[in-house]
Amino acid sequence: MPRLHTERLLLREWRESDLAPWAAVNADPEVRRYLPGMPTREQCDAAVARFQGDLDGRGWGFWAVEVRGTGEFIGFTGLDPVEEGVPFTGVEAGWRLARTAWGHGYATEAARAALHFGFTHLDLPEILAITVPANTRSRAVMSRLGMAHDPSADFTDPTAPEDGPLHKNVVHRLPRTRWLLDRVDAPGPAGGRRASAR
């Protein structure tokens, strides 16, 4: 299973020591603001087992993210096939970080590493990102990644209340051809644009 390295971050396998801080991330109402429900500790542990199973089984998925300078676990970032029930197929990028890690550019830096892996190692033709309209923080990350909103692909979640904030979903896309163009003359590791998989 490859690890992904950026200037400040390590995207790696999951460890038992990640379980408690991962549960704490998901116990934060602000982190869960645009996600359905509040998972139990058992559900958080089961999610980690699935994440690691994907990494073991196919070599990619949602990596645990730690800060290289301190070894601190701060959440996850990675790639995953679009969930069943979504009206299209593909691979989407996702991230979820502890609130203490917000505002440092970590989500963008880690997601760029995941995109690099997806386009160069998996040869994906496109990578998507999905959220709700009100999630402006994640949408800003999508924009910084070079993703563009595709209104024609927006959809509604039939499992969410029609008058609730999670009913409508917006889709952002980044074709590989656009990503390659954006990387021309891009800064190297100091700018966080490039990443290595080891």
Side-chain angles (χ1 to χ4, degrees):
M1 186 210 79
R3 290 178 161 195
L4 309 184
H5 301 252
T6 72
E7 181 184 14
R8 300 181 296 169
L9 304 172
L10 171 64
L11 281 66
R12 57 159 174 80
E13 72 285 349
W14 291 80
R15 302 170 181 160
E16 187 172 353
S17 59
D18 299 329
L19 294 176
W22 171 245
V25 168
N26 285 283
D28 185 335
E30 191 61 25
V31 172
R32 302 286 313 179
R33 185 175 181 183
Y34 301 112
L35 296 167
M38 189 73 73
T40 64
R41 172 61 189 265
E42 291 73 20
Q43 289 170 323
C44 290
D45 290 355
V48 168
R50 289 196 304 274
F51 300 155
Q52 187 58 45
D54 288 338
L55 294 172
D56 290 336
R58 66 188 181 209
W60 57 279
F62 288 132
W63 286 272
V65 179
E66 73 172 49
V67 179
R68 294 176 66 179
T70 64
E72 178 189 6
F73 168 87
I74 58 172
F76 82 51
T77 304
L79 305 168
D80 201 47
V82 172
E83 293 182 358
E84 293 183 8
V86 174
F88 48 80
T89 59
V91 172
E92 65 174 311
W95 48 85
R96 189 179 312 160
L97 301 184
R99 189 154 31 130
T100 55
W102 294 5
H104 301 283
Y106 290 150
T108 304
E109 184 173 333
R112 280 181 175 145
L115 294 179
H116 182 275
F117 182 86
F119 287 129
T120 62
H121 291 264
L122 305 180
D123 200 26
L124 295 173
E126 176 185 62
I127 296 176
L128 311 170
I130 303 171
T131 189
V132 297
N135 192 352
T136 56
R137 296 183 70 94
S138 276
R139 297 188 74 181
V141 172
M142 295 170 195
S143 179
R144 287 192 289 272
L145 294 172
M147 293 182 158
H149 179 209
D150 178 8
S152 69
D154 292 351
F155 64 97
T156 57
D157 182 351
T159 67
E162 290 188 13
D163 58 348
L166 305 184
H167 184 61
K168 183 178 180 182
N169 289 259
V170 292
V171 179
H172 292 244
R173 298 181 180 274
L174 180 59
R176 186 172 186 271
T177 51
R178 165 70 186 276
W179 177 78
L180 288 170
L181 288 173
D182 286 349
R183 293 185 75 241
V184 173
D185 298 325
R193 290 296 297 270
R194 306 235 174 122
S196 60
R198 301 174 188 171

